[in-house]
Amino acid sequence: MADNIQQVYVIQGRILRDYADLHTVLAQLPLRVTVLPFLTTEDEVIARTRDAVALVVASSPVGRKVMSALENLKVVLRTGVGYDVIDIPAATELGVVAVNIPDLWVREVANHTMGLLLAWNRKLIAQDRDVHAGSWSPGIPGAWTGSVYGETVGIVGLGNIGSAFARRAAAFEAKIIAHDPYVEDAHFKALGVERVSLEALAERADYVSVHTPLNAETHHLINEAFLRRMKPTAMLINTARGPVVDEQALARALTAKQLAGAALDVWEREPVPGDSPLLRMDNVIATPHAAYYSTSAVARIPRRCGEELVRALTGQQPLNVINPEVYAPGAARRGGDLPTL
């Protein structure tokens, strides 16, 4: 039986997690689970996981080079919502099932986004610093303070998280507009959200919040042209993926007062370099890619990953397949299914 045991590798992210629950779930299959530290390059991934039947990754890259080298690889599972670390076209071409866990921290990210909007609108960080320093000046610092209610919140990307944020912003009596060419009109209508073009969103919104995946289409979607259209009193929030926003263009736009401020949880490079001009700006709120976090949400990751691996490796279709084409009739998926013990 030992000869039939196959290998699953869990590659930790920059923050270490306890994957005991994943071990428990996978105990029903003839699998050996090895947890590895964060690996930064594809060559490192190949060297440490060459016999993998499945990979569980947080931030390590799994591109065509990895999937071609790992000839037994059947499944790549990303431990969260975004899957830009996986080359999805290559996975589909090679018959590798790609899976993510898109619903674990929808509420956490939506809450963090709303928190950033309110923190910027109410200038909470500046007020806190002033009071701690002994200053007492009732009122909100700055030339302009919006009311939120009656103002316009523009959402770029109306998926799970964008929709959850729309509900929260609507509860503050804001007008909600959104741009997402891949979401049906019925969903916009159900949320009470007005569908607009990307250009109209930039021009009308008092608060722009980004909730798109990162891919070739969305890379630098928020660019110089978009920022030039924004109101000088508006602010930008990004809790999606850093490279969706052109940070150099954002820094220039803020310097030129084309918009009033920004709140960023995600960055083009992470950790964000200490010499980033955005970190020197008082009108930029910075958080360290933490929007997803709550103790309860993070605790559910290992079990959810294990359950999806069981499905994928025993011939069932996982709940959240990124590349469903591999399950189309006649499509070739790598390898056979595993028996349960």
Side-chain angles (χ1 to χ4, degrees):
M1 185 68 180
D3 291 339
N4 296 325
I5 293 177
Q6 298 189 53
Q7 182 70 54
V8 173
Y9 290 97
V10 177
I11 305 176
Q12 294 271 15
R14 292 180 175 87
I15 299 175
L16 299 183
R17 309 288 185 208
D18 180 356
Y19 281 91
D21 284 351
L22 180 142
H23 285 260
T24 300
V25 174
L26 295 185
Q28 61 187 286
L29 298 177
L31 295 169
R32 179 184 300 106
V33 179
T34 302
V35 179
L36 298 174
F38 177 55
L39 304 175
T40 60
T41 69
E42 289 198 278
D43 287 338
E44 288 179 299
V45 173
I46 292 168
R48 300 290 297 274
T49 68
R50 193 173 288 276
D51 59 340
V53 67
L55 292 178
V56 178
V57 299
S59 304
S60 297
V62 183
R64 179 180 297 275
K65 182 177 180 180
V66 171
M67 289 180 277
S68 297
L70 276 52
E71 296 179 356
N72 296 321
L73 185 67
K74 301 175 184 177
V75 186
V76 180
L77 191 151
R78 164 75 174 90
T79 59
V81 181
Y83 47 84
D84 44 286
V85 296
I86 305 172
D87 184 336
I88 301 302
T92 304
E93 180 183 326
L94 295 169
V96 176
V97 180
V99 182
N100 68 338
I101 313 291
D103 57 344
L104 266 178
W105 32 63
V106 169
R107 294 174 180 85
E108 284 77 5
V109 178
N111 291 344
H112 194 92
T113 306
M114 197 70 219
L116 291 174
L117 187 156
L118 293 174
W120 190 89
N121 170 262
R122 307 307 298 169
K123 305 298 186 289
L124 296 182
I125 294 174
Q127 291 194 77
D128 174 77
R129 289 171 179 167
D130 287 347
V131 174
H132 274 276
S135 173
W136 188 268
S137 178
I140 305 296
W144 171 263
T145 299
S147 59
V148 181
Y149 64 87
E151 293 190 293
T152 299
V153 172
I155 300 174
V156 182
L158 201 61
N160 289 337
I161 294 172
S163 297
F165 174 62
R167 297 185 188 98
R168 284 152 176 77
F172 282 80
E173 302 176 71
K175 163 72 174 176
I176 315 299
I177 62 177
H179 173 75
D180 193 322
Y182 300 102
V183 171
E184 298 292 333
D185 287 340
H187 185 66
F188 278 79
K189 184 176 180 180
L191 288 172
V193 174
E194 179 185 351
R195 182 193 288 275
V196 297
S197 68
L198 190 64
E199 293 77 13
L201 187 147
E203 292 167 356
R204 291 175 53 186
D206 298 294
Y207 310 88
V208 173
S209 190
V210 181
H211 298 284
T212 68
L214 175 62
N215 52 42
E217 183 180 359
T218 62
H219 183 268
H220 284 186
L221 181 67
I222 308 303
N223 56 18
E224 184 175 356
F226 181 97
L227 296 166
R228 195 185 305 119
R229 291 177 180 270
M230 290 182 67
K231 299 178 182 179
T233 55
M235 62 94 65
L236 173 74
I237 305 168
N238 188 11
T239 55
R241 282 292 182 269
V244 176
V245 174
D246 182 341
E247 288 181 10
Q248 292 186 9
L250 176 59
R252 291 193 298 269
L254 288 166
T255 300
K257 301 186 184 322
Q258 292 173 352
L259 70 161
L264 306 174
D265 182 62
V266 289
W267 306 81
E268 290 204 67
R269 285 178 54 198
E270 295 184 359
V272 57
D275 61 355
S276 168
L278 294 168
L279 296 183
R280 298 194 295 270
M281 296 181 176
D282 291 337
N283 55 347
V284 174
I285 298 176
T287 58
H289 203 147
Y292 72 95
Y293 191 88
S294 75
T295 300
S296 59
V298 169
R300 293 195 296 271
I301 295 171
R303 178 166 292 276
R304 287 290 303 278
C305 291
E307 291 167 351
E308 287 288 66
L309 285 179
V310 168
R311 293 184 185 99
L313 293 172
T314 59
Q316 306 170 65
Q317 183 166 332
L319 300 180
N320 299 292
V321 180
I322 303 166
N323 56 342
E325 300 91 335
V326 297
Y327 285 95
R333 292 198 312 279
R334 277 190 179 173
D337 301 329
L338 296 178
T340 56
L341 295 177

